Amino acid sequence: MGVEQRSASSAGKGTGKGSGLKKIVAASMVGTVVEWYEFFLYATAATLVFGKYFFPSTGNELDGIIQAFLTYAVGFVARPLGGIVFGQIGDRLGRKPTLQLTIVIVGASTFLMGCLPGFRDVGFWAPVMLVALRFIQGFALGGEWGGAVLLVAEHSPNKTRAFWSSWPQAAVPVGNLLATLVLFVMSTTLSADAFLGWGWRVAFWLSAVIVFVGYYIRTHVTEAPIFLEAKAQVEESKAISYGVGEVIRKYPKGILQAMGLRFAENIMYYLVVSFVIVYLKTVHKYDTSSLLLALLIAHLIHFLVIPQVGRLADSWGRKPVYLIGAITGAAWPFFAFPMFDTRNPVIIVLATTIGLCLHAFMYAGQPAIMAELFPTRMRYSGVSLGSQVTSIFAGSLAPLLATQWLKDTGSWLPTAIYLLAACVITAVAVVSLKETKGIALQEVDQADAVRHGLTPAGAAITKG
């Protein structure tokens, strides 16, 4: 029996169905919640606290926020490096040990951020230490996303892969929701001086508790049969390679397509969850607690919507669902910012929630699409590289550029045009894809084997 045959026959067993798959999904989600709680905690704190605490005052509130967003961007610069390193490890050793390592690194760096002194205490050493920890945090997170979604995607049935692999995506707003909730509680129960002085640190210290939960749960997951078969094949044959160098040589188009898919989605998300806070806080002097409450509601609805959009990607197809997200995402800022300008709390919540719901049409099916772009032997590297390199030019710059344009022009219009252009790029990437709804990952592996002469053509394929 060939490798593809064994993989195909085992793909529908064990964790592929029922409670076994749910256990894999839960393990992936819990770890992802922990990781993204910590990462987004930084994003919110950068807007509310870090500009004042870690940088010298210039008399302009936006200057401190811009400086904080520059340190925020450092994490995005580090993510592709993490994607390369952990992608290589994940393709060679496995998804499970890689995910255990990343969660520990992110947890430690986040806890230490809560211990840092401010600019008044140690001068410029404060932002230097903040940047160093941010880099370490981003480096680890660069290897987290690809492993978490692939752990589920490679266990999922072919016909429902988008639905099941959308659950780790849904864990992201849960992590953000938890971060927002902790900051909301601290900001409403403490005075402004107490919150700025020490209250924000509690949210960072709590990461030490929840990281143990995530790590423990991840010790109980298993690798997907298709990965174990691919790993055995690589070990048996010196002609078969894996990892970052191989995926760049053999699948450059797949990497570019993954980057295109990620571009508008990543920009839109950080505009909604970061820049909206800046806009309402600086332009309309909107209350911090009210802002956090609006985000809490939006994150909760985002969590509920993502798996349902995943179902649509399984029934309608990957491409039409993603195109809906790109087209409606381009329109969002042109009606959302006038809604923000009303300063009506209900309308603000509605505009924010609509933004995240439209984002879900690009976000939910992303793991399935990216998993179907690359063969198993280099899938972790391809997915991590395609998604994390994009974050440098997308999510890291989006709130920074939007804040700078707001400072220079006093208008949201440049930001709206920016998102419109990004959505056009993503729409082009979607159109360039082949529709892969219902495809077996064994088909992807067999096509790779035939294309590069790794195994004889005609190996059996099982569709599920």
Side-chain angles (χ1 to χ4, degrees):
M1 181 180 287
V3 170
E4 284 84 3
Q5 288 174 303
R6 296 197 304 272
S7 295
S9 65
S10 61
K13 299 178 181 179
T15 57
K17 296 181 180 179
S19 61
L21 179 55
K22 292 178 181 178
K23 180 180 177 181
I24 295 294
V25 171
S28 179
M29 284 188 68
V30 170
T32 303
V33 167
V34 174
E35 302 261 10
W36 288 94
Y37 162 85
E38 294 162 348
F39 199 76
F40 285 127
L41 181 64
Y42 189 104
T44 307
T47 303
L48 300 177
V49 178
F50 289 175
K52 300 176 182 177
Y53 190 77
F54 287 103
F55 299 94
S57 175
T58 63
N60 188 327
E61 184 179 5
L62 287 175
D63 286 334
I65 295 175
I66 290 171
Q67 290 173 322
F69 276 144
L70 283 172
T71 67
Y72 180 57
V74 168
F76 286 88
V77 174
R79 283 166 66 172
L81 299 178
I84 291 171
V85 173
F86 291 113
Q88 193 84 0
I89 295 172
D91 280 332
R92 179 61 186 270
L93 299 180
R95 287 48 168 145
K96 175 180 175 178
T98 308
L99 291 174
Q100 289 174 305
L101 179 59
T102 57
I103 197 172
V104 171
I105 296 175
V106 174
S109 59
T110 306
F111 177 83
L112 291 175
M113 284 180 187
C115 303
L116 290 179
F119 184 85
R120 292 182 179 179
D121 301 311
V122 294
F124 284 102
W125 279 109
V128 168
M129 290 186 286
L130 181 66
V131 167
L133 290 174
R134 175 61 174 173
F135 184 90
I136 295 170
Q137 186 192 56
F139 179 79
L141 190 63
E144 157 66 24
W145 182 82
V149 298
L150 291 183
L151 193 66
V152 177
E154 291 178 341
H155 278 91
S156 300
N158 302 325
K159 293 181 180 179
T160 55
R161 183 176 299 116
F163 169 71
W164 288 110
S165 60
S166 71
W167 281 99
Q169 302 288 76
V172 174
V174 174
N176 205 348
L177 187 150
L178 290 177
T180 306
L181 179 61
V182 171
L183 289 174
F184 174 73
V185 171
M186 300 306 296
S187 67
T188 54
T189 57
L190 298 175
S191 66
D193 290 339
F195 177 73
L196 186 61
W198 62 269
W200 63 272
R201 298 181 184 273
V202 175
F204 285 81
W205 292 336
L206 283 176
S207 65
V209 177
I210 59 178
V211 75
F212 285 114
V213 177
Y215 182 86
Y216 174 77
I217 292 178
R218 283 189 170 174
T219 61
H220 291 79
V221 302
T222 57
E223 300 286 2
I226 191 173
F227 168 75
L228 296 176
E229 293 287 358
K231 180 182 177 183
Q233 188 184 37
V234 170
E235 292 172 350
E236 290 170 6
S237 175
K238 294 182 179 179
I240 300 175
S241 187
Y242 65 92
V244 175
E246 182 76 349
V247 77
I248 291 174
R249 287 192 296 270
K250 300 294 176 61
Y251 289 89
K253 180 181 178 181
I255 294 174
L256 289 175
Q257 287 174 320
M259 292 175 68
L261 292 173
R262 180 79 161 155
F263 192 61
E265 172 271 309
N266 202 225
I267 287 174
M268 183 171 184
Y269 189 79
Y270 286 99
L271 289 179
V272 176
V273 302
S274 293
F275 178 66
V276 165
I277 297 178
V278 174
Y279 183 79
L280 289 170
K281 185 76 174 171
T282 60
V283 174
H284 295 301
K285 307 302 179 184
Y286 206 70
D287 177 64
T288 297
S289 298
S290 299
L291 280 173
L292 294 174
L293 181 60
L295 282 175
L296 277 175
I297 297 171
H299 290 320
L300 178 60
I301 297 175
H302 195 210
F303 164 72
L304 297 173
V305 167
I306 288 174
Q308 306 314 314
V309 177
R311 287 187 189 275
L312 292 179
D314 282 323
S315 59
W316 294 359
R318 295 5 178 179
K319 294 177 66 174
V321 171
Y322 217 106
L323 279 174
I324 290 172
I327 293 170
T328 57
W332 175 78
F334 293 96
F335 64 80
F337 282 96
M339 293 173 72
F340 293 136
D341 289 339
T342 67
R343 301 189 63 191
N344 184 302
V346 175
I347 294 177
I348 287 173
V349 169
L350 183 61
T352 307
T353 302
I354 291 174
L356 290 183
C357 288
L358 298 181
H359 168 266
F361 277 81
M362 292 185 280
Y363 198 54
Q366 201 175 90
I369 298 174
M370 291 192 181
E372 292 154 1
L373 282 174
F374 305 101
T376 306
R377 66 192 177 100
M378 60 183 83
R379 182 171 292 127
Y380 202 143
S381 295
V383 168
S384 295
L385 194 62
S387 62
Q388 301 306 334
V389 168
T390 315
S391 66
I392 297 178
F393 309 103
S396 70
L397 292 179
L400 177 63
L401 290 174
T403 304
Q404 185 65 55
W405 290 328
L406 180 63
K407 177 186 175 184
D408 293 340
T409 69
S411 172
W412 51 264
L413 187 59
T415 298
I417 296 172
Y418 170 55
L419 181 56
L420 171 63
C423 287
V424 170
I425 294 172
T426 290
V428 171
V430 175
V431 171
S432 75
L433 293 170
K434 293 180 179 179
E435 180 57 64
T436 52
K437 180 185 74 171
I439 193 174
L441 295 181
Q442 290 79 19
E443 273 190 79
V444 180
D445 287 353
Q446 188 198 33
D448 172 65
V450 172
R451 177 182 176 186
H452 298 107
L454 302 178
T455 59
I461 300 171
T462 297
K463 292 186 178 182

